[in-house]
Amino acid sequence: MEKVTIMVNNTTNVSAYSGQPPSEAGSKRIHIEGGPLYAVTDVLALLDAGDEQTVLWTRKCVADVQQLAYDISDVRALLKQALTGGQYLKSEWCVQKPTGPWAACDSYRLQRIEWIEHAHKEMHIEYYVKFAIGKTGKLLLLVSCHIS
């Protein structure tokens, strides 16, 4: 008897962006023109609403944040700084798992000087963050948060 594996692609868009997500996940990034998709004021309002409104949406993001030894308030502070002092990079579709769901995300880069204990000096550190506002407008879905 042959074993058959059926993969169902969930093309549900869980973000506030109204576009249609890709029909399947692949290895290529799927960029969205005309970004940023989310107004900085809307994202800042969600960040100011408290820890409960920011969700680490992917397993990789959870691992990234653990690697940085950040808690959710640190992540919110980093996002605020990226939005107000960083640089918008691009918008793209992101998938939570190979089978979906999808979120349309904005990504930002933040460069800042930090004291690095092991090096015994200040160094330039570059962070990369990627996020979406959830469909209801009440959650910020964080997809990436790591050092570049």
Side-chain angles (χ1 to χ4, degrees), residues 64 67-70 74-75 77-79 81-82 109-129 145-148:
D64 290 344
Q67 180 76 26
L68 293 170
Y70 280 7
D74 297 323
V75 171
L78 181 70
L79 274 167
Q81 202 173 9
R109 173 180 43 219
L110 172 67
Q111 297 180 33
R112 65 185 188 185
I113 297 172
E114 295 182 3
W115 176 259
I116 306 301
E117 187 65 37
H118 296 327
H120 302 289
K121 64 180 180 178
E122 289 185 335
M123 297 178 70
H124 288 271
I125 305 295
E126 183 175 287
Y127 290 90
Y128 177 81
V129 294
C145 180
H146 56 82
I147 294 174
S148 295

Side-chain angles (χ1 to χ4, degrees), residues 64-136:
D64 290 344
V65 170
Q66 287 174 343
Q67 180 76 26
L68 293 170
Y70 280 7
D71 61 25
I72 201 70
S73 63
D74 297 323
V75 171
R76 288 176 41 238
L78 181 70
L79 274 167
K80 283 182 188 180
Q81 202 173 9
L83 288 164
T84 58
Q87 177 186 18
Y88 165 77
L89 297 173
K90 63 184 176 282
S91 300
E92 64 186 0
W93 284 105
C94 299
V95 65
Q96 188 179 41
K97 300 174 189 169
T99 57
W102 293 83
C105 297
D106 285 340
S107 58
Y108 285 77
R109 173 180 43 219
L110 172 67
Q111 297 180 33
R112 65 185 188 185
I113 297 172
E114 295 182 3
W115 176 259
I116 306 301
E117 187 65 37
H118 296 327
H120 302 289
K121 64 180 180 178
E122 289 185 335
M123 297 178 70
H124 288 271
I125 305 295
E126 183 175 287
Y127 290 90
Y128 177 81
V129 294
K130 186 166 36 174
F131 61 86
I133 293 179
K135 190 172 282 294
T136 64

